[in-house]
Amino acid sequence: VLYKESVGTGTPTPITPEMERVKRNQEICSSVLYKENIGKATPTPVTPEMERVKRNQEIISSVLYKENVGKVTPTPITPEMERVKRNQEIISSVLYKENLGRATPTPITPEMERVKRNQEHISSVVYKEGLGKATPTPITPEMERVKRNQEHISSVLYKEHLAKGTPTPMTPEMERAKRNQENISSVLYSDSFRKQVQGKAAYVLDTPEMRRVRETQKHISTVKYHEDFEKNKGSFTPVVTDPITERVKKNMQDFSDISYRGIQRRVVEMERKRVDQDQETLTG
């Protein structure tokens, strides 16, 4: 209070870009000086003993925290509390949107897309360079057994902490509401599909690289086809001839001979009749 009383009235000055630049330079200088004052340290490896002590400290901290928590009286969540909570969320959302200023949307150009992809590639390369070399350890039967035991213990503890629930029967009204919801979801999904996807094709640029790959695939397919054809050329599949097959084959041949001879006999008779008629015409 005394400090504020001794301070006189001042004239506020606007924050200019020059002042912003000086402020940023001061922050950078402070960060550099802070790092220069830090001495060199010797890294110490994390041993199993240190890991054990760390876990014990975490367990002790958790136990002490739970001991210091006093007893509280649970209060049920009433419909009025739910209503107030929803109103607060709506008000917060409205105030947040009011505080947002107007922005000018900028289109995403091909150059921006190219820079973004390059940044992703650079980040991936730098990340992989920073990874050290690791020694892979094989998964032994003992490790598999311990892993299964841990899963069983976790499942048992999870089921022990579950409270008892009251089953509610599925009434016809609930079944009807469920079917209505499914129908509504299906209708909305179909509408969005028709508006956004149906009838629209995905355009892919036909670049020289894609054309080269397509031509290479065609050549590979042609070579493979000719290779398979040359392998199978001149080969046949042997079929076992049994007595039943022989009998059927002979019967079919007999039927063919009978049919052929009957037709041939009829053709001969018709040819003879035609010759006789021609002779009668000439003599008459």
Side-chain angles (χ1 to χ4, degrees), residues 144-155:
E144 288 286 343
R145 185 183 63 79
V146 173
K147 183 178 178 181
R148 284 196 300 272
N149 290 339
Q150 288 294 331
E151 291 175 355
H152 294 328
I153 292 170
S154 300
S155 178

Side-chain angles (χ1 to χ4, degrees), residues 231-237:
K231 285 182 180 179
N232 297 325
K233 186 170 67 173
S235 61
F236 61 92
T237 304

